[in-house]
Amino acid sequence: MSVTAAGISSMATRQILAELAAAYEEATGEVITIESVGGVDAAKRIRAGEAFDFAVLASDALQKLEADGHLVPGSIIEIAESPMAMAVRAGAAKPDPLDEAAVRKAMETAKAIGISTGPSGTHVQKLARDWGLESEGASRLVQAKPGIPVAKLLADGEVDVGFQQLSEMLGAPGIDIVGLLPEALQPGTVFAAALCKAGAHPDAARAFIEYLVSEETAETKRQHGMTPL
């Protein structure tokens, strides 16, 4: 069966989109293919003019792409909010409760802190600056390569504590999820979808995006650690 529309996304939405694309195909017969890579790489490829029909990325990344003329103006639609979580290696001690003081202590005492190249990593770097840990903590911040989950750094013993979107930590082997960061420390990351200017199938892509924001997709989003909008 021929592909109806092709998209690109960051890794945070990989599992959600795979499930929803399969459900959409079953319901409509429309074949949607989605390549999931690191968000930084996804933005680079869109800027390079690759022929994707749509993109699903953090909303701020899409806004920059729209401002630079790579997306169809006004086509950005928010899909879900993605809370951020903290995890440790499987079997390691976990703070309880996971309040702001516990998060700060974990960052202060960890020999190595795992972060992503995406919005969650940027947020941890900001916390380090805000808490005066940047000078002492910069060398301890270990950034996973694009497309590599922070959970792998934890499971491989490269870091003691890791921070990333909950959706990327759920079900990952070799880690224990401590919990969501307290509300005051959440970055409020929202993922959204938009039409790419280089795409050849805007109508099919628009129809799939409308499905992504429909009520029937809400439970799948919740199961993968995201909050429907």
Side-chain angles (χ1 to χ4, degrees):
M1 190 177 290
S2 61
V3 173
T4 306
I8 190 167
S9 81
S10 57
M11 295 299 290
T13 55
R14 176 176 58 88
Q15 291 180 316
I16 291 174
L17 292 175
E19 285 192 24
L20 293 179
Y24 186 74
E25 179 180 349
E26 185 176 348
T28 67
E30 303 287 308
V31 180
I32 307 293
T33 62
I34 304 166
E35 185 176 353
S36 295
V37 299
V40 174
D41 286 342
K44 286 180 180 178
R45 292 173 63 180
I46 293 168
R47 290 180 183 280
E50 288 197 40
F52 295 108
D53 296 303
F54 65 94
V56 179
L57 297 170
S59 59
D60 59 344
L62 288 179
Q63 288 162 9
K64 291 175 184 176
L65 288 167
E66 181 183 44
D68 292 339
H70 299 287
L71 303 179
V72 174
S75 67
I76 298 174
I77 298 178
E78 294 183 346
I79 293 175
E81 186 168 5
S82 180
M84 190 170 155
M86 175 177 138
V88 295
R89 285 200 298 276
K94 295 184 288 186
D96 184 23
L98 185 60
D99 54 16
E100 183 170 340
V103 174
R104 181 168 181 166
K105 183 178 180 181
M107 289 180 61
E108 288 173 340
T109 58
K111 293 180 180 178
I113 303 164
I115 62 173
S116 76
T117 55
S120 62
T122 302
H123 184 61
V124 175
Q125 291 171 324
K126 180 181 182 299
L127 288 179
R129 289 195 300 272
D130 291 347
W131 289 339
L133 304 176
E134 190 173 36
S135 58
E136 63 184 77
S139 62
R140 294 185 292 120
L141 292 175
V142 179
Q143 195 165 53
K145 293 179 180 178
I148 302 298
V150 171
K152 180 166 173 46
L153 298 182
L154 281 167
D156 290 349
E158 295 183 43
V159 299
D160 308 305
V161 62
F163 300 90
Q164 199 164 22
Q165 262 82 32
L166 176 63
S167 62
E168 296 205 56
M169 289 183 165
L170 286 174
I175 72 167
D176 288 335
I177 298 173
V178 180
L180 295 178
L181 297 189
E183 191 62 35
L185 299 184
Q186 286 287 347
T189 302
V190 171
F191 284 90
L195 298 174
C196 298
K197 271 194 174 178
H201 308 97
D203 291 340
R206 186 177 291 107
F208 180 64
I209 290 173
E210 289 174 357
Y211 168 72
L212 290 181
V213 298
S214 67
E215 180 60 33
E216 60 192 295
T217 65
E219 186 54 34
T220 299
K221 294 170 186 174
R222 293 189 189 99
Q223 288 174 357
H224 289 284
M226 290 197 181
T227 305
L229 295 174

